[in-house]
Amino acid sequence: MKKANDLKGLQDLYFLGPKGEQRKFFQEMVELINNDMIFWRRNFWPKDPPVIPYSGLTSATGLQHQDHITQLLVQLLAELKMDVPFFSPRYVAHMTGDLSLPGLLGYYAGLLYNSNNISPEASPVTLKYELEVGQQFAQLFGFEKKSSFGHITSGGTVANYESVFYHKGARFIPATMGLALRKEKLPWPSFLPSSTWELLNIAIEDIPPMLEEFADYAEKRGLDHQELLRKYSPANLGETTFWNELQVGPPVMIVPATAHYSWSKASHLFGIGRENCLNTGLDENLLMSIDDLQRIMKFCEENRRPIIQTVCVLGSTEYGGFDPLDQIVQVLKGWKKKNLYSPIHIDAAYGGYFQTMFVEGENYPENASVAREKYPQMHRIFNAVRDADSITVDPHKLGHVPFGAGVFVTKHGFSKEFIAEEADYCLSSRNQDIESFPLGKYILEGSKPGASAASVYFSHKIIPLNSDGFGGLNLGLLEIAERFYDLLIGASDDELEFVPIHRPESNVLCFFIRPKTFPASVSEINKFTALITGHFFPRPADHIQEFSYYMSKTSLKFASLKGSVPQSLQNLERDADHLKLARLVFLNRWMDNKNGRGISYMEDFINEIKKKCRELLRT
């Protein structure tokens, strides 16, 4: 028991606290950062004289200017206090929680140095941090560190875009070889299959040896293999020309119905087309339907539609669920034997940090055992991540660092050379060492802050990616979600029924409210749920105290369900095409604590919901 209490106490210290409980330590650390930065400035060529006259600071103009800044800063701070209190146990709306102290301090320290994490010339220190974070996540998810590649993006959306960028660059290299051979009228080599369809379905991990053979083949004929691949690549020819030359249907992407809207954006952005972003339906657990995945794979086989990638969501933004990755892997392996290949990208922007629950730390390895025992299905799913090809994870969600920090990791690091862009003024280095790595040529973004890299790197130094650190924190959040679920079920009475869609798989809980005097129709439930969520939903207000608690909202489209439906919906009259839901995200570890009324925030929140429900029923 003492050891558990010690761990809880340590976890508390990771945060500033809802009431700024660690303000003294935080202020000392901020002062340390400020003083150190000023010291660095003053001691860089210390004999160089100051350039701002000190007399000007105390002149009438100087004092007036400082007063002007102070006045506007006070106004800015007053307006910012109307922002959303993510730090409070009263906030259970979106996937944003309190920031960790190391995340804050790392970001603030990096911010003052203003490095641009795009090349070693602009950020020799924080670029190293960024690439090290990429390696940390590669190791966490079971990818080979030497052959994989990962880095920090501005968020999960860009990380998801990069998965398409990378897989489009790598997937069609063999087909590009074949097109180059045909257009240049070169003899067909024995190491390449002659069928275009076969060339389009070679696994990414099988491409490197083909590249070596193609380079030897070209060299013997006095040709530059890189120039051949560049000339006939889809990136050079354009999508329309490339696919017309190959004479097959345009490529597709497969995503579940719970996919983040970044995937629809990606299909537009990369010229795939939304019609070619094929959505699998959901099963009764609101996860990717394996039967529907099989149907789509069969469609692709019959219509000769190459697959850029299949997206698996671990921690959906809607319902918090984890697609059955272990089953998806087996399905795609089966189709690969039938000569239809798809790499797997995992969108774990939200759920990626749950992997840390199953990694044993030195001090609290028992937490990992508890997690495996309590969440065997999640453990089985995360064990299958090593069989995927790339992954997105957002440190600015369950990593508790400031926005924006996403991470993209690919198992196939070689593929970065096929999306590279040169910029001679700063990115001409051919050296691939971490100290001089030209990151900008391999990523979608241009200038981006080194502060994010410093934040994530420093955060991982203090809060380990295992059961000692983030694993223990996340285990606690799952337990809070389950306790709230039990309280919510027990809160139903003669007037009101609280109906969760299902027991939470993560720390996300969706439910609807049915007044027992109402008919069990979706349209009536939607009206009532909309009034409740509207009351607790973040909105502009005259003062922040208008809100007692915050929740978010979502909806379930019935058309996305394939086969059986969740038990919770089976007795409803479906007179609307979707069901409106209240959505709670438990990112605050203190929701079990007592509030100013002397009861837990959980119980008080449920009482507040019931109070509002009764007000509505009486009006």
Side-chain angles (χ1 to χ4, degrees):
M1 188 65 180
K2 182 179 184 300
K3 192 174 183 183
N5 289 336
D6 289 345
L7 177 58
K8 185 179 185 304
L10 175 61
Q11 291 172 342
D12 286 345
L13 298 177
Y14 290 149
F15 299 91
L16 177 58
K19 294 296 182 181
E21 291 87 342
Q22 290 207 77
R23 62 191 177 279
K24 184 177 179 181
F25 177 67
F26 178 64
Q27 288 166 351
E28 288 174 355
M29 293 302 99
V30 169
E31 185 178 6
L32 172 64
I33 293 168
N34 288 339
N35 289 341
D36 191 71
M37 188 270 292
I38 297 297
F39 179 86
W40 185 64
R41 289 183 176 222
R42 295 187 68 173
N43 285 276
F44 181 74
W45 287 89
K47 291 186 178 181
D48 289 347
V51 295
I52 301 175
Y54 287 106
S55 60
L57 303 179
T58 55
S59 67
T61 301
L63 293 174
Q64 184 179 11
H65 180 65
Q66 291 172 13
D67 181 67
H68 180 62
I69 291 177
T70 302
Q71 290 289 335
L72 291 182
L73 180 60
V74 169
Q75 182 181 342
L76 174 67
L77 294 172
E79 291 172 352
L80 286 173
K81 288 184 181 65
M82 290 302 299
D83 215 331
V84 181
F86 297 126
F87 54 81
S88 174
R90 294 178 178 273
Y91 185 85
V92 282
H94 296 287
M95 292 171 163
T96 308
D98 200 6
L99 298 174
S100 71
L101 270 179
L104 272 171
L105 295 172
Y107 194 95
Y108 183 59
L111 177 71
L112 296 182
Y113 289 85
N114 194 34
S115 52
N116 176 8
N117 263 37
I118 204 68
S119 72
E121 289 89 342
S123 51
V125 177
T126 52
L127 178 58
K128 182 174 67 174
Y129 291 165
E130 175 167 341
L131 296 173
E132 189 162 331
V133 166
Q135 291 181 340
Q136 289 171 356
F137 279 110
Q139 184 173 6
L140 176 66
F141 296 119
F143 294 174
E144 174 59 48
K145 286 175 65 175
K146 287 184 178 179
S147 57
S148 60
F149 168 66
H151 76 101
I152 295 173
T153 67
S154 61
T157 292
V158 173
N160 284 342
Y161 290 168
E162 287 202 352
S163 74
V164 184
F165 193 40
Y166 270 70
H167 283 151
K168 276 171 59 68
R171 279 280 286 109
F172 307 123
I173 291 171
T176 299
M177 291 179 187
L179 182 59
L181 292 170
R182 290 190 175 104
K183 300 296 284 186
E184 299 289 334
K185 296 182 171 51
L186 295 169
W188 203 268
S190 60
F191 62 84
L192 278 183
S194 58
S195 158
T196 297
W197 184 245
E198 287 181 274
L199 290 172
L200 288 168
N201 285 283
I202 292 171
I204 295 177
E205 58 264 28
D206 295 333
I207 292 175
M210 284 186 174
L211 282 168
E212 291 182 10
E213 293 189 85
F214 189 72
D216 290 341
Y217 172 92
E219 185 180 354
K220 289 174 182 176
R221 288 163 177 77
L223 300 170
D224 184 336
H225 78 285
Q226 292 180 329
E227 177 56 27
L228 281 175
L229 291 176
R230 187 205 63 80
K231 182 178 178 181
Y232 293 101
S233 68
N236 190 56
L237 294 177
E239 297 292 321
T240 301
T241 301
F242 183 78
W243 294 105
N244 284 342
E245 290 283 358
L246 293 184
Q247 297 182 341
V248 295
V252 304
M253 237 179 1
I254 302 174
V255 301
T258 54
H260 188 258
Y261 65 7
S262 59
W263 295 109
S264 177
K265 290 181 180 180
S267 65
H268 178 202
L269 177 66
F270 287 97
I272 299 165
R274 292 191 180 97
E275 284 191 354
N276 299 318
C277 192
L278 307 181
N279 285 81
T280 66
L282 306 179
D283 62 17
E284 66 274 14
N285 297 312
L286 306 184
L287 306 172
M288 178 188 278
S289 165
I290 294 299
D291 290 341
D292 211 38
L293 175 60
Q294 294 278 23
R295 176 190 64 80
I296 289 176
M297 297 298 289
K298 185 170 179 59
F299 165 84
C300 293
E301 179 194 43
E302 291 175 347
N303 292 275
R304 287 295 190 258
R305 303 295 295 277
I307 304 167
I308 296 170
Q309 64 182 18
T310 297
V311 176
C312 169
V313 177
L314 298 189
S316 78
T317 54
E318 302 296 331
Y319 318 113
F322 299 84
D323 286 335
L325 176 61
D326 50 333
Q327 298 178 52
I328 294 167
V329 167
Q330 294 308 314
V331 167
L332 296 184
K333 282 183 178 178
W335 281 100
K336 178 65 179 73
K337 293 177 181 177
K338 300 176 185 178
N339 207 27
L340 176 63
Y341 167 69
S342 171
I344 300 174
H345 175 72
I346 299 173
D347 185 353
Y350 184 64
Y353 271 83
F354 284 118
Q355 173 79 300
T356 61
M357 295 196 310
F358 308 110
V359 180
E360 291 187 1
E362 293 182 11
N363 299 318
Y364 301 96
E366 62 275 11
N367 278 347
S369 300
V370 170
R372 294 185 198 112
E373 184 178 341
K374 289 189 69 173
Y375 305 102
Q377 181 177 342
M378 190 193 297
H379 181 222
R380 187 171 62 251
I381 287 170
F382 273 105
N383 264 345
V385 170
R386 66 185 69 248
D387 294 318
D389 296 271
S390 59
I391 190 165
T392 290
V393 60
D394 277 358
H396 64 216
K397 292 188 173 76
L398 282 164
H400 301 284
V401 302
F403 282 91
V407 169
F408 169 71
V409 185
T410 175
K411 181 187 288 183
H412 313 292
F414 78 92
S415 61
K416 66 183 180 297
E417 302 299 336
F418 293 89
I419 50 88
E421 293 284 347
E422 297 288 350
D424 290 337
Y425 69 94
C426 69
L427 304 175
S428 58
S429 172
R430 295 284 179 182
N431 195 326
Q432 299 298 290
D433 293 339
I434 199 169
E435 302 292 340
S436 55
F437 188 82
L439 179 65
K441 65 188 282 187
Y442 298 121
I443 65 176
L444 284 175
E445 294 173 283
S447 300
K448 59 196 192 75
S452 289
S455 178
V456 182
Y457 173 82
F458 187 59
S459 177
H460 289 181
K461 283 280 191 182
I462 306 299
I463 312 174
L465 292 169
N466 56 41
S467 62
D468 289 351
F470 284 107
L473 284 173
N474 292 333
L475 184 60
L477 296 178
L478 294 184
E479 291 168 347
I480 286 173
E482 289 180 342
R483 285 197 290 276
F484 191 94
Y485 170 87
D486 292 335
L487 287 171
L488 191 67
I489 292 289
S492 296
D493 55 26
D494 294 339
E495 282 189 298
L496 300 164
E497 183 181 11
F498 294 92
V499 187
I501 292 296
H502 50 62
R503 193 171 189 90
E505 289 187 62
S506 62
N507 58 332
V508 179
L509 173 63
C510 292
F511 67 96
F512 61 90
I513 305 166
R514 186 175 79 85
K516 293 187 176 178
T517 56
F518 283 27
S521 70
V522 170
S523 61
E524 291 296 321
I525 290 169
N526 282 352
K527 292 176 187 176
F528 193 76
T529 301
L531 292 171
I532 294 298
T533 55
H535 176 73
F536 292 101
F537 193 76
R539 64 184 185 279
D542 291 333
H543 55 83
I544 203 71
Q545 280 74 19
E546 287 186 23
F547 297 92
S548 57
Y549 290 90
Y550 294 78
M551 70 166 64
S552 56
K553 56 190 175 181
T554 187
S555 63
L556 172 60
K557 295 177 181 176
F558 294 121
S560 66
L561 295 171
K562 301 292 180 182
S564 56
V565 300
Q567 181 69 34
S568 56
L569 309 182
Q570 289 183 1
N571 296 322
L572 299 182
E573 177 193 348
R574 290 199 212 168
D575 58 346
D577 63 358
H578 68 283
L579 176 66
K580 293 183 177 180
L581 300 167
R583 187 188 71 153
L584 307 178
V585 184
F586 301 96
L587 270 168
N588 193 292
R589 58 183 275 96
W590 294 286
M591 204 173 182
D592 258 351
N593 286 37
K594 291 182 178 181
N595 65 9
R597 297 176 183 175
I599 62 174
S600 78
Y601 290 98
M602 288 189 186
E603 294 174 276
D604 191 47
F605 184 24
I606 291 173
N607 289 342
E608 288 286 310
I609 296 172
K610 294 182 76 170
K611 177 182 174 182
K612 187 61 184 178
C613 286
R614 291 195 172 98
E615 286 178 10
L616 292 171
L617 290 174
R618 283 152 181 70
T619 58

